[in-house]
Amino acid sequence: MNPEYAAYCQTDRDFYDAPHRDRGGVAAEESFYAAARTPAPEGWETSRRGDWLSLTPSGLTLPQQGWKIHIAAALDNAESILRRVLDHCLPRRIPLKFIPGPGLLLLRNAKYADRAGSGKFITVYPHSEEMFPELCAELTALLDGEHGPYILSDLRCGDGPVHVRYGAFAARYCPGPDGRLVPAIADPTGTLVPDPRGPSLSIPDWVTPPEILRPHLEARQAVGMDGMPYEIQGALHFSNGGGVYRARDTRTGRTVVLKEARPHAGLAADGADAVARLERERTALEKLAGLDCVPAVLDGFELGGHHFLVLEHVPGTTLNTVFARRFPLSSASPDAERLAEHAAWAAGTHARVERAVSAVHERGVVISDLHMSNVMVSEDESRITLLDFEAAFPAEENRRQVVANPAFVAPRDHRGTDIDRYALACLRLALLLPLTTLLAIDRGVAARLAREIARVFPVTEEELRPAVTEILREPVYEDAGPAPARTGARGVDRPAAAPSAAAPEPPEPGEWPLSRDSMARAITASLTPEREDRCFPGDIAQFASPAGGQSFAHGAAGVLYALHRTGAPPCPEAVEWLLDKVKEPASGTPVGFYDGLAGIAWTLDRLGHHEQAAETARLVARQPLEGLTPDLHGGHAGIALALDDLAGSATGAEATALRRAADRCTALAARALVSGPPSARTGLLHGATGLALLFVRRYERTGDPALLDLAATALRRDLARCKAGQDGALMVVDGKRLMPYLGGGSAGLAAVLDDYLAHRRDDAFEAARRQIEPGLRSAFYVQPGIFRGVAGLILHLVRTPLGDPGERRRAIDRHTGLLGRQATPYAGELAFPGEQLMRRSMDLATGTAGCLLALGSVHRPDRAALPFLSPRESPQTRPQPGAAHQ
């Protein structure tokens, strides 16, 4: 679960959107601080970027990097701090930026907010290194005695809210350790290196801190864990509110759990910080003392301003891990016995959790954050222990929920014990089909999930009816009033998604072309050409760059491509929107294929807008491409493929220029593969597999066997990062997970292996390809998306020549049926949720356009395919001696 998505659920109940916008997609300025609504003084320029509002003196040129000052604030003193800092900085013409409203500040400091950025309320940029010491001292004195969260990435000056860090002022980027572009600073040689922005202070080796910071550095170094009678043995979990640690009591040798709470950080929707929530947990657990289903409170203490609660260490495994290990639909064809065994286990486990919750309710406590990760299962599965009571409250207070897991979050009109009953109902379904996150979009999905469960498992709909009824129930309370904004999915406000009204069901995904036309109507219904940042709603990545809403992966280009290649009706408004935006690309626009201008140019050419495509391609070719990553998504491989393709339809000097740029990118990709540091990422989009695709395609054009040698090197590199799962299927290792998907998993690797083996025999590659295939035919995958879900597996299975055609067709049909279970209709039409399943998406990489393209490949395999992964039935082969195909 990626907690970053939670903040983008605040604005719109249907789609992810930037948290600083209201439902209409405009800035929600009426809720801003008064200072943020006040026009800028004469001689100052105002700009908005994401959550930040910037004020800059006209004509001022700042250094590109240096010591910057961050000022923290709590909800109760933020407006006062902002007013005083502005009064100090504006007369001195000192530029700054700030979070303009309390709602955005709460999100920045919420429990699952980014730990590196948490606490940053105001950023002040000194004019020079000489100015920094004086300005830092002035602001420290000005705000002495004020409170705010500790900014983990910075050095705190004294005990107040002023923090400092050496880093970038200007927006410059370089590849990070995992190959992604990250903010950069220049080292003494002028080379761009990553600007460290993690949740700990990191001062570059070549930077000498000013003398004014010496006492603050010494104070920081003096803070340690000395004096507490516990030895930390490892971290179990981190959030913005603090850590959870396994520790040993040095007095007794007993293993315990330490829960840490940072003051003014880790906020819940009601404004309670981590310290307040830790006290809630202590109060609840002390009230529940003696119950076998909760951990015992052993101790509590404060150290360095942080609060700690010491709890009994409960051995076992969390329920979400137990479930993942035994879920039978992880294989392609689980037998009846295994399905029956799992259904019985699910019923028994749910009953044990239900009994534990009832015992808690009998003591007058509401858990208010019940989900699989907060349930510990003993080794023999006889004991259930409920964990994490930070959101708990006395039942008689009948409160609303303030923080929850997105797959179990109750509608915001639920109160008291009804919150836990709702979570129990979700758990009953999730233990059999883990798709209850879809209820955040439409609770009516519950009945459909129950039908699907009854179809697959030996469980009747009647047995599941109590859970469905509870999910659909609308509770009424005597003192009911308007439900206030509150945090739902991982700390973010989410309007209750009432059951969908009775309406004609959209077609099933397999009912082509009815499904195509319905998806096209859903996409068109979501169109917002009046917005500057996006034309179609998609993933949160739309807001990460100036071209996010235009790009092939997450923006208009990819959506228009999917409509075009599947024969769906065109969308002229969106085409005009894209043409208008690409004429004058914003500063900072990426040039890659999936994230920027190369992909937009390539798409416009396919749509028949050759002049604008050529102009954009020329712009890409003129860029200093050396500093990019080598990958397919945003780097050399994708740009080379696009420019090489576009050069084929150009003539004269233009064709030559595009071809030369493509050659340059190919050479850079080859150099990165052979002599550069290995990418930390794997797969088609960001790993060596994307480079292999480039080399195979270039080989098909040039016939140079050295390119196939490079492709083989790239494929071996990614294959080395795979391992077999429980059923023996080969998958990409991604942290603790094994990934079968198209974008960063084994399906993308298999697709390029197919293309390579069309030209050159390799027994090891053939064996790997066959070992990958079983993992692409399982009965269940959580997400529908083309790069991290089942849609991409459909694309691959349509395309691959491997295996029995009948078996492939059955797998494609099964995956198509699964898309039907994942669908979340929009405007009465067929549509799909995006990444994390918490909101719908229309983009190609995560949402409806990608599902449209995948389903189109089943019915129009000659046209509907991803760029540069054309149908394998007609490869452009250049066989060599010993090749597999003569």
Side-chain angles (χ1 to χ4, degrees), residues 388-473:
D388 197 348
F389 282 76
E390 290 184 7
F393 57 84
E396 67 267 18
E397 294 183 5
N398 214 31
R399 298 183 199 165
R400 292 183 170 92
Q401 196 172 28
V402 294
V403 64
N405 180 284
F408 299 86
V409 58
R412 66 179 182 182
D413 56 353
H414 281 48
R415 299 185 188 181
T417 54
D418 282 336
I419 295 169
D420 292 345
R421 293 190 185 99
Y422 185 91
L424 280 169
C426 291
L427 181 65
R428 181 69 178 103
L429 302 183
L431 287 170
L432 294 163
L433 199 63
L435 288 174
T436 54
T437 307
L438 297 176
L439 303 176
I441 302 173
D442 181 0
R443 277 188 280 148
V445 169
R448 191 176 75 207
L449 295 182
R451 286 196 301 271
E452 179 66 8
I453 290 169
R455 185 188 69 80
V456 175
F457 292 96
V459 178
T460 66
E461 287 189 62
E462 190 61 32
E463 292 176 81
L464 301 174
R465 192 175 305 283
V468 174
T469 300
E470 179 62 39
I471 289 168
L472 299 180
R473 184 171 66 90

Side-chain angles (χ1 to χ4, degrees), residues 217 254 294 339 764 768 819 867 885:
L217 286 166
R254 180 179 186 177
V294 300
L339 293 170
L819 282 179
H885 298 275

Side-chain angles (χ1 to χ4, degrees), residues 50-130:
D51 294 350
W52 295 97
L53 176 61
S54 298
L55 289 172
T56 308
S58 301
L60 177 68
T61 300
L62 281 171
Q64 293 188 310
Q65 62 195 54
W67 287 96
K68 61 176 74 174
I69 300 171
H70 288 128
I71 298 170
L75 294 178
D76 60 351
N77 65 349
E79 188 152 24
S80 169
I81 286 176
L82 176 60
R83 183 68 271 164
R84 281 183 283 164
V85 171
L86 287 172
D87 288 345
H88 185 85
C89 291
L90 293 182
R92 295 166 175 81
R93 291 179 58 80
I94 300 170
L96 73 166
K97 66 179 182 180
F98 56 91
I99 302 298
L104 294 174
L105 183 60
L106 188 150
L107 289 174
R108 178 162 287 269
N109 292 333
K111 180 178 180 181
Y112 288 101
D114 176 22
R115 295 169 66 225
S118 175
K120 296 175 182 176
F121 173 49
I122 304 172
T123 304
V124 181
Y125 297 95
H127 294 170
S128 64
E129 288 188 11
E130 293 73 24

Side-chain angles (χ1 to χ4, degrees), residues 278-291 294-300 309-311 363 365 389:
L278 195 68
E279 185 58 32
R280 288 175 183 174
E281 178 158 27
R282 179 170 192 153
T283 299
L285 290 177
E286 288 176 344
K287 193 171 183 178
L288 299 172
L291 291 181
V294 300
V297 175
L298 304 177
D299 193 6
L309 184 63
V310 185
L311 300 176
R363 294 280 187 98
V365 174
F389 282 76

